[in-house]
Amino acid sequence: MTLNEFDKVHFSKDHVRSFFKYWTEKEAVIKAHGKGLLIPLQSFEIFQNQAVIENEKFYLKEIFIHEEYQCCIAANKD
């Protein structure tokens, strides 16, 4: 995690939910980029539902499935 991401999870009201939101966003971006975990998770940060990896911008959208699940999709087109 980046320091900002750690703070966001640590200072949230629901640490578990906040962590899984963080994780699903990061996972969606690295999968959309195509290199998966070869990209260090600390090398990019998600801010305002956007992230940049190797000069490529990705947009994120949370998808509601059920209150007990966290789902996010990422694409390089808005």
Side-chain angles (χ1 to χ4, degrees):
M1 287 185 182
T2 67
L3 183 57
N4 288 336
E5 291 165 338
F6 178 82
D7 285 348
K8 190 174 179 181
V9 171
H10 181 71
F11 294 112
S12 70
K13 290 181 183 179
D14 186 340
H15 296 124
V16 173
R17 189 170 214 47
S18 184
F19 171 79
F20 281 109
K21 180 176 182 354
Y22 153 81
W23 180 257
T24 56
E25 289 174 340
K26 288 280 194 157
E27 184 180 24
V29 171
I30 62 174
K31 286 181 175 181
H33 184 270
K35 289 188 179 176
L37 288 173
L38 292 175
I39 299 169
L41 296 178
Q42 198 173 26
S43 70
F44 68 97
E45 190 168 274
I46 296 171
F47 181 71
Q48 296 181 339
N49 295 319
Q50 297 179 18
V52 177
I53 298 176
E54 298 175 347
N55 296 319
E56 186 176 6
K57 186 181 266 190
F58 293 91
Y59 302 90
L60 290 108
K61 174 127 176 95
E62 188 173 357
I63 299 172
F64 180 79
I65 296 174
H66 185 274
E67 63 188 33
E68 294 181 10
Y69 292 90
Q70 191 69 43
C71 183
C72 185
I73 189 167
N76 59 358
K77 299 198 184 322
D78 190 12

